[in-house]
Amino acid sequence: MAIYFNKPFVTGKEFEYMKDIINTQGKLCGDGVYTQKCHTFLEKKLNCKKALLTHSCTAALEMAAILIDIQPGDEIIMPSFTFVSTANAFVLRGGTPVFVDIRPDTKNINEDLIEAAITERTKAIVPVHYAGVSCNMDKIMEIARRYNLLVVEDAAQALGSRYRGKHLGTIGDIGCFSFHETKNVVSGEGGAIVINNDRYAERAEFIREKGTNRSKFFRGQVDKYTWIDIGSSYLPSDIIAAFLYSQLENTDKINSKRLHIWNEYDNFLKQYDDIIYRPHCPDDCSHNAHMYYVLFKTMQERADFINFMKENNISTPFHYIPLHSSPAGEKYCRVAGDMKETNKISNTLVRLPMFYELNDEEMYVLKSKISFYMQKNRIRFKNQDCNLLF
Ligand SMILES: *Cc1c(COP(=O)(O)O)cnc(C)c1O
């Protein structure tokens, strides 16, 4: 039996809604009936003023960079331990991402290091809610207010997660979500931008529709539509929205199933706390179980574990190559302070299989392979010179 790291799934009504589009709605392009349903659903669910579907979180981040008017030379503070799109979206506008180290517990940007990275050119902070666990948003919003900076939340992994009761993605000026097939709620490729600052609400529609006021035209607010701003095509087809709508309706069901799997892993792995490090979620956050990961003490220990799992047909990938040490990161970005935690964590973190349909049989196999491995290596790992971590 092979156990994949991730597996696409449907929740029930995806195909029914897609057929409905083709048979009765007669409109396959973007901003149709199902796109509207998704917008309304997200606005209610997240309790936010405006949500717009995009074809990816990458697109939502690019829209955010245009919306906050990033100009060549502007600096944007973010972690290096993230997916490329977080930085790339701002580099495309000529901005310079400035990397700040992460916290060893949550792997999120270390809020205590942000102020030291602020310069005259700083325009925004981009907190990334890693594994669906919130950054310290009170502190980040307080710094942003004090220095007059904008906040764009990369909430790609965080649909349904909260910080002090508020949904992630709705706290900063703008929030960006992903529905890529590796996330909790999926449509293959997909995303959404959430506008929390009214200042950006109207312009977001123009940018998403090739720089035109077509959305206003559809609402009957103007009698013809025209090119009025820069923009691109950032909206998904209504077929994608139809698929997504069924998934969105099941957000809570998906997240609670994942949370069940997450807790199974966590309770089981407690017994190995002497040799590995488990994820941490601060008390003021509730997370959506986007990811289960563990950290080994050294890079070699991680490599040995991944190889053992691979021999047993179990896929356990790692990420990220820190952006500051990637070729494009070296060229377009800079670091503020050292990247000690980022480097350590990216060398020792491994992700365990996590998907909606992970079943009891698979969990049983996972647990038995992991225990066999941990017990066999416990003494060796315990005696390991562990100056790399902890
Ligand atoms: C997945 C992810 C993205 C990109 O999402 P896409 O929808 O694939 O463009 C951006 N940032 C983070 C933190 C992610 O995990």
Side-chain angles (χ1 to χ4, degrees):
M1 177 167 87
I3 303 180
Y4 301 104
F5 162 66
N6 180 59
K7 218 157 86 180
F9 65 100
V10 289
T11 55
K13 293 200 171 153
E14 282 84 346
F15 303 125
E16 185 188 314
Y17 292 164
M18 289 167 85
K19 271 192 202 142
D20 179 43
I21 293 270
I22 292 156
N23 295 339
T24 63
Q25 304 297 345
K27 195 167 175 262
L28 310 181
C29 64
D31 274 339
V33 174
Y34 281 91
T35 303
Q36 195 48 55
K37 281 178 195 278
C38 290
H39 290 172
T40 308
F41 184 93
L42 283 168
E43 284 160 9
K44 276 216 184 99
K45 170 94 193 148
L46 302 175
N47 191 22
C48 66
K49 282 182 235 155
K50 193 176 190 69
L52 296 168
L53 292 193
T54 56
H55 51 69
S56 61
C57 182
T58 302
L61 288 159
E62 288 178 18
M63 280 183 64
I66 298 172
L67 272 170
I68 66 169
D69 196 29
I70 294 296
Q71 295 295 319
D74 285 350
E75 294 181 348
I76 307 94
I77 293 173
M78 63 180 68
S80 167
F81 190 67
T82 182
F83 187 65
V84 295
S85 299
T86 317
N88 189 67
F90 295 91
V91 171
L92 278 172
R93 312 301 316 156
T96 303
V98 173
F99 298 127
V100 165
D101 207 6
I102 51 176
R103 287 166 49 151
D105 57 353
T106 58
K107 286 75 186 163
N108 283 330
I109 191 165
N110 187 333
E111 64 276 7
D112 293 330
L113 304 177
I114 291 175
E115 263 191 271
I118 295 173
T119 72
E120 299 271 270
R121 305 294 324 245
T122 307
K123 182 107 187 220
I125 306 172
V126 184
V128 178
H129 305 299
Y130 182 73
V133 172
S134 181
C135 299
N136 184 336
M137 290 308 291
D138 277 357
K139 180 83 191 274
I140 290 170
M141 295 309 290
E142 184 272 316
I143 295 170
R145 262 191 298 273
R146 202 147 34 85
Y147 288 88
N148 201 18
L149 305 175
L150 294 158
V151 174
V152 176
E153 294 178 73
D154 183 338
Q157 305 178 4
L159 184 74
S161 296
R162 291 166 190 262
Y163 174 73
R164 302 194 169 200
K166 286 190 92 173
H167 276 280
L168 299 189
T170 68
I171 303 167
D173 296 277
I174 296 171
C176 302
F177 289 94
S178 175
F179 306 118
H180 183 263
E181 76 162 26
T182 52
K183 304 301 199 285
N184 291 26
V185 165
V186 305
S187 58
E189 303 282 349
I193 185 166
V194 167
I195 309 293
N196 307 312
N197 183 336
D198 289 338
R199 197 170 134 193
Y200 302 118
E202 186 177 55
R203 197 168 172 233
E205 289 187 341
F206 303 156
I207 291 167
R208 180 168 162 276
E209 268 280 20
K210 302 97 182 163
T212 72
N213 58 351
R214 196 170 179 174
S215 303
K216 278 190 151 177
F217 173 70
F218 283 143
R219 285 195 299 262
Q221 292 166 336
V222 290
D223 57 10
K224 56 182 182 299
Y225 80 85
T226 184
W227 184 25
I228 51 174
D229 201 337
I230 59 165
S232 187
S233 185
Y234 287 121
L235 71 173
S237 147
D238 216 44
I239 301 184
I240 299 289
F243 188 100
L244 179 66
Y245 186 58
S246 175
Q247 294 257 329
L248 282 173
E249 286 181 313
N250 289 287
T251 304
D252 292 342
K253 193 172 151 199
I254 294 167
N255 285 355
S256 64
K257 176 79 194 298
R258 292 179 78 109
L259 205 55
H260 174 77
I261 297 165
W262 197 100
N263 286 326
E264 286 255 325
Y265 273 132
D266 205 50
N267 289 327
F268 164 73
L269 288 165
K270 273 187 187 122
Q271 60 187 308
Y272 304 114
D273 274 352
D274 52 338
I275 48 174
I276 56 166
Y277 184 99
R278 288 178 293 125
H280 171 75
C281 184
D283 288 341
D284 48 11
C285 314
S286 66
H287 72 96
N288 62 356
H290 172 60
M291 195 189 301
Y292 199 91
Y293 63 83
V294 297
L295 275 78
F296 284 90
K297 287 182 185 166
T298 67
M299 203 170 178
Q300 188 59 49
E301 283 181 17
R302 176 179 74 177
D304 293 348
F305 175 77
I306 291 174
N307 280 336
F308 170 81
M309 295 302 267
K310 199 168 160 194
E311 283 161 14
N312 287 281
N313 280 320
I314 300 169
S315 163
T316 55
F318 66 81
H319 70 178
Y320 299 101
I321 306 292
L323 298 184
H324 72 269
S325 50
S326 68
E330 283 179 2
K331 191 165 168 191
Y332 299 115
C333 311
R334 71 176 178 81
V335 296
D338 69 45
M339 294 287 118
K340 225 170 89 205
E341 296 300 335
T342 301
N343 291 332
K344 275 199 278 196
I345 287 160
S346 84
N347 283 337
T348 54
L349 183 145
V350 60
R351 302 172 68 178
L352 301 181
M354 169 61 84
F355 49 89
Y356 181 62
E357 288 175 335
L358 191 106
N359 60 36
D360 291 347
E361 193 193 345
E362 287 166 322
M363 185 47 89
Y364 177 82
V365 173
L366 282 162
K367 283 180 179 173
S368 46
K369 296 297 175 199
I370 294 171
S371 355
F372 174 82
Y373 185 79
M374 294 294 183
Q375 277 158 29
K376 198 178 103 193
N377 291 287
R378 189 169 228 152
I379 305 295
R380 178 166 73 97
F381 284 1
K382 252 183 145 157
N383 295 336
Q384 190 71 251
D385 174 14
C386 62
N387 58 4
L388 244 184
L389 199 62
F390 311 134

